[in-house]
Amino acid sequence: MTLSGTAATACKTAATCWSCGAATDLAPFCGACGVVQPPGQSDHFARLGLEPRFDVDLQGLDRRYFELQRQLHPDRFARKSPREKAISQQQAAALNEAYEVLKTPLRRARYLARQLGVDLPDEGRTIDDPDLLMEAMEKREALAAASGPQAIEVLAREAAAERAALLQNLSPLFAAVDRRGVRAAILRLAYLDKFAEEARARRFNAGTASR
Amino acid sequence: MAYSEKLLDHYENPRNIGSLDKDAEDVGTGLVGAPACGDVMKLQIKVSADGLIEDAKFKTFGCGSAIASSSLVTEWVKGKTLEEAGTIKNTDIARHLALPPVKIHCSVLAEDAIKAAIADFRAKAEKKQAQDVESKTDERIAAAE
């Protein structure tokens, strides 16, 4: 049997340890024999030992992530079988993906929203909130017209304050399973994130131009 | 990723950048945005009395493909009727600019924008017509009394 073949088989039978046959939970290592287990289709939150909600303890997230990452480091598998090496790499990839999604507010919100069955617009179709679009257009025009680093800074701070308030608002919306509210807030957050990114670029360009 | 010569040309020398008076009766405005990336695109048309698009302007805050797509559409719609302009498909835009697959959504946005601009103009025209009929009726009632 090929290596990828065995790994795929192991994925499907994640309920028991592929090595010793003991029952396994979501942990990356078998509780009985300690051998690394395939990542399976675990939820991002569960993978990092967190409750599935928008408010995450970011320090706890970091701690858990780095702890697991250390356990899955390739150096620890240098003397293990090819199969264990392959599985540990799958685990590390799944862990990194989960961490990246959970650590970024917009990605975390989208992930959680999809789990709650919120109908998020797909890429390509325009968003259906004229007020938000008007506001986004005006703000981007103001940013483009801002004459110097100070003017850019003022706009960036305004947007950052609005973003902070929006993030605070998201938690109760998620907690109340207010799908419409969550959807609107996520669309707004995408624009505020983009604005922040553009403001950073503008600030950088203004800084280099004045030198 | 290699971009086509046409795309680079529209990106480097965008046509018809600017704004028209969105409150003017003969101007239709389409404002659209991509939910995934946060890009915004405004496309405006100025329609003559005989129903031809005599001017078009755009303003896009987004990636090069979004800018090129909207620039191309303003160029295409000038001199067209609203019906003709309404038939522009995102696939035509994508093909003309040879957009890579990950940028197809930018051409969809440009199609949405011209459709929204046409719809905005038509809504304004209908409203104006209704108001005209109303005021004429008022005049007749006033005359009859």
Side-chain angles (χ1 to χ4, degrees):
Chain A
M1 207 188 271
T2 63
L3 180 64
S4 60
T6 55
T9 317
C11 263
K12 282 178 203 149
T13 56
T16 55
C17 173
W18 60 273
S19 185
C20 74
T24 56
D25 48 19
L26 290 169
F29 297 93
C30 172
C33 70
V35 164
V36 68
Q37 299 298 308
Q41 298 300 313
S42 172
D43 167 64
H44 287 339
F45 289 97
R47 195 177 295 290
L48 282 145
L50 296 167
E51 291 288 316
R53 44 182 207 162
F54 186 69
D55 267 332
V56 299
D57 165 17
L58 289 175
Q59 281 185 332
L61 171 67
D62 273 356
R63 208 164 39 235
R64 185 79 184 124
Y65 168 68
F66 288 116
E67 186 185 312
L68 287 168
Q69 201 199 36
R70 213 166 33 242
Q71 290 173 14
L72 292 163
H73 196 276
D75 286 356
R76 288 181 179 261
F77 293 84
R79 292 177 180 281
K80 304 278 182 181
S81 70
R83 186 169 177 182
E84 282 169 272
K85 276 183 193 158
I87 293 175
S88 72
Q89 279 165 17
Q90 291 171 8
Q91 273 284 4
L95 177 69
N96 285 336
E97 169 67 12
Y99 177 68
E100 289 300 324
V101 168
L102 295 188
K103 146 184 112 149
T104 320
L106 181 59
R107 294 188 69 185
R108 182 168 73 242
R110 283 192 177 130
Y111 181 73
L112 204 51
R114 288 207 183 87
Q115 285 189 331
L116 291 176
V118 175
D119 170 39
L120 293 177
D122 287 334
E123 196 182 68
R125 281 274 89 105
T126 181
I127 75 159
D128 41 13
D129 185 341
D131 293 341
L132 173 60
L133 282 172
M134 188 71 81
E135 202 186 309
M137 194 69 187
E138 279 167 2
K139 281 188 183 155
R140 294 294 297 275
E141 281 176 336
L143 180 63
S147 49
Q150 270 180 322
I152 297 166
E153 187 63 35
V154 168
L155 290 168
R157 276 205 195 138
E158 270 174 27
E162 197 194 330
R163 183 176 181 273
L166 185 74
L167 289 180
Q168 275 205 327
N169 253 328
L170 256 171
S171 307
L173 288 173
F174 271 117
V177 199
D178 178 350
R179 293 191 174 82
R180 194 187 293 205
V182 163
R183 185 182 191 275
I186 287 177
L187 289 179
R188 182 163 281 269
L189 185 56
Y191 274 99
L192 288 170
D193 277 4
K194 184 72 173 199
F195 187 90
E197 189 188 317
E198 286 301 313
R200 270 196 299 276
R202 283 271 292 141
R203 228 170 350 194
F204 177 77
N205 291 337
T208 48
S210 64
R211 249 171 242 150
Chain B
M1 199 188 304
Y3 285 116
S4 74
E5 202 46 52
K6 280 176 186 163
L7 191 151
L8 290 173
D9 180 36
H10 272 281
Y11 176 62
E12 283 162 4
N13 314 293
R15 332 289 201 259
N16 309 310
I17 279 198
S19 292
L20 299 168
D21 176 12
K22 71 175 164 52
D23 297 321
E25 277 175 1
D26 57 351
V27 170
T29 301
L31 194 54
V32 296
C37 58
D39 287 354
V40 273
M41 182 183 285
K42 182 174 76 177
L43 205 151
Q44 295 182 300
I45 49 171
K46 189 167 186 284
V47 184
S48 68
D50 48 359
L52 291 178
I53 296 174
E54 52 182 18
D55 199 6
K57 296 274 184 206
F58 86 94
K59 221 173 213 189
T60 294
F61 294 103
C63 64
S65 297
I67 290 168
S69 294
S70 35
S71 167
L72 177 67
V73 168
T74 58
E75 211 174 38
W76 273 356
V77 296
K78 276 198 199 181
K80 284 201 164 106
T81 64
L82 294 178
E83 287 72 28
E84 286 165 347
T87 61
I88 290 174
K89 290 272 165 300
N90 88 286
T91 45
D92 303 332
I93 303 164
R95 199 176 309 123
H96 186 86
L97 296 172
L99 292 183
V102 292
K103 292 292 180 184
I104 296 295
H105 68 274
C106 298
S107 63
V108 178
L109 213 55
E111 183 194 321
D112 284 348
I114 182 64
K115 291 220 160 95
I118 294 170
D120 180 56
F121 172 78
R122 284 195 168 133
K124 267 187 193 172
E126 268 170 36
K127 205 172 156 191
K128 185 172 176 288
Q129 213 173 14
Q131 275 170 354
D132 286 354
V133 169
E134 211 169 280
S135 62
K136 269 182 195 147
T137 316
D138 287 348
E139 276 165 31
R140 274 189 216 123
I141 291 167
E145 283 167 358

